[in-house]
Amino acid sequence: MRKKILIGVITILCLSKKGYSQSDVNLPFVWENATIYFVLTDRFENGDTSNDFAYGRAQNGPPLRSYEGGDLQGLINKLDEGYFDDLGVNAIWITPPIENIYGSISAGYAFHGYWAKDWTTIDRNLGTDDLFKIFVDTAHKHGIRILLDVVLNHVGPENSVDQNQTWPDEWVRRSPNCNFQGPQGTIPCELVDNLPDIRTDSNDDVSLPGWLLSKWEQEGRRTEQESELNDFFTRTGKPRSPRNYIIKWLTDYVRKYGVDGFRVDTVKHVEEFVWKELEAEGIIALREWKSNNPNKKLDDLDFWMTGEVFNYNAPSMGRSFTGDGFNVDYYSNGFANLINFEFRFNANQGLESIFSRYDNLLQNQLGDGKSAMNFLTNHDTDQVFDRNREKTFEAGTKLLLTPGPAQIYYGDETARTLTPGGGADGDATLRSYMNFNELNNPNSLASLTLKHFQKIGKFRREHIAVGAGKHTKLQDSPYTFKREYNKNGFEDEALVYTGNDNDFTGALNVFGIWSDGTELQDYFSGTLATVSNGTVTFGTTFGLVLIGKPTLRILGVEDINTLSPSFVKAWPNPFANSVKVSFLSSAIKLEDVELEMYDLLGKKVIEDGSLMNIQGNIIEINTPNLTKGMYLMKVSFNAQNQVFQLIKE
């Protein structure tokens, strides 16, 4: 008999890679299949109203050009709510969180983060250094990587109220303005008037400005900051040039907090060799953090960089950016990925035209782990797909099913307005506040669009073949395609049918991808079915069918067998600093046993083999770092499963 115990549910995952059983925190991940959520932190969620007016800032700028209250605590709250999990997001790109200039200029305040003042600390409108650490840790607990937006091209404007603290001429140039005619008209110049250009080409030793040292002194950080700089320049042997100071400060966010990668701003406005230097230091920093935090790291992947080379049109240009008089392969200069400005136009084409073109881009034109990040809307570009939010379902389908990494701009998934009115103009129209309030109505466009994005997003997150696999069209009517991935020890397949509502209520051909008896899931309807005679029947009324092996399985409380275990036991229960697992037959080989331990939120809490000691046929698991509470342990051997409810005192 089975006894129902009120303890919630737990997530168990069975992956195709042999020997893997893990939580969704550790689903197979490659950047080519990443779903990256790009958020202007100040415009997303206000989790702490006490920091809304840091540094004496006010909401007196032009429309939508003041700080609006969004902060790191708001992001943490949404992580804890599972908002990003439900959307299938596995990476979050946040605008630069570093301390920006305090006051306003005619263009408003630095809510966007691109007007740097002090690279060494978090802007207090967004939170604190300690809160940033919590944010990164929280994201990692959800299996979500963090991309930090970084600026190495310019400092903030100099005519704000606090800019009696200007950067010396040896640090920046203030003329000429860029004319965007080739590298000489794009790199050694001010991007726009009043954004002093960092002398990234300089190898001269320069001193820190006195106002910055005084600032650190007042904050009680000067000794620490100077000591760290001395260590950095001693280790690297690099000159104390402007770019090397900033590279050190930027990679500190990797070394100290475990940031997984950078989105680099204004790439073509800086000499390309600088990006190789930044990448090299990022790799060193992330390896150091992972070595020091083995229980926090998500994987052993290296530091990853994507870059904004404005108007890089990936399928048309391939590996080399050939606009504005340039001919530069940035992929060979530090970048694994570049943001693709062409997809927003290609999205007007049919599905097969898009998918086959981007499959060729990913598999052939770029190759070797390189990719281009597709987007439909962003914070800078007026020419976006579906500006009036009239084709939100089409947008979600095309963005999330196209080969390569996908960038969701905050609110794409909720039809957030890109035409806010109220006097907002220019890029401010793209930066309205997040419309969570519209989700209160389950029949609103916001709610219906979100559900659509969630279904495809979860399919994409749980199946790396969707974004990273080889695309093959199987038939034109109804349009059907498959994706297949077989790299890095992982195998995965996905099959998609597209059409109209009620087209797919009957049996669907699986084209030999899976054998009879295989259980499959349609991620759009949520239905499970088993392959029979080469077909599968979900009975779905939707016009989109997303088929893959179910990786997310829910083990409910009724699955806990309270009878005597058939082949294994666990004790003591309750336990303190360790729990032991033994097997009732000496014939059981421990290398054939899979053991998983989870908390009631579905997080896998035992991941490090060093925590397990094996003696004879007993496995002892050290648990000193587990908090008090209830846990579930699943032990599997030879198609037998036993789930234990355990209590830590």
Side-chain angles (χ1 to χ4, degrees), residues 58-68 104-109:
Q59 289 188 324
N60 57 2
L64 284 177
R65 295 189 186 276
S66 298
Y67 282 84
E68 299 285 340
S104 67
I105 61 171
S106 59
Y109 288 88

Side-chain angles (χ1 to χ4, degrees), residues 24 27-29 33-37 83-91 144 393 395-402 406 408 413 449-467 496 521 523-524 544 546 551-552:
D24 59 339
L27 279 168
F29 175 85
N33 184 54
T35 301
I36 300 168
Y37 194 89
Y83 182 81
F84 300 105
D85 296 324
D86 293 341
L87 192 54
V89 167
N90 49 21
I144 296 173
F393 304 108
T397 299
K398 288 179 173 178
L399 176 66
L400 296 176
L401 291 182
T402 293
I408 299 173
E413 79 282 14
T449 300
L450 178 60
K451 290 178 182 177
H452 186 80
F453 270 74
Q454 286 173 335
K455 292 175 181 180
I456 307 177
K458 291 288 282 185
F459 179 56
R460 182 182 174 94
R461 182 173 185 182
E462 294 180 25
H463 289 283
I464 55 177
V466 176
V496 176
Q521 180 174 352
Y523 281 74
F524 204 79
L544 183 62
L546 310 173
T551 53
L552 186 63

Side-chain angles (χ1 to χ4, degrees), residues 529-557:
T530 302
V531 179
S532 177
N533 296 320
T535 65
V536 65
T537 303
F538 297 107
T540 177
T541 60
F542 294 111
L544 183 62
V545 189
L546 310 173
I547 305 173
K549 285 186 178 180
T551 53
L552 186 63
R553 306 302 305 276
I554 301 301
L555 178 64
V557 296

Side-chain angles (χ1 to χ4, degrees), residues 283-295:
I283 290 172
I284 292 170
L286 187 56
R287 288 179 180 177
E288 181 179 323
W289 182 85
K290 289 185 176 184
S291 176
N292 292 334
N293 297 273
N295 295 329

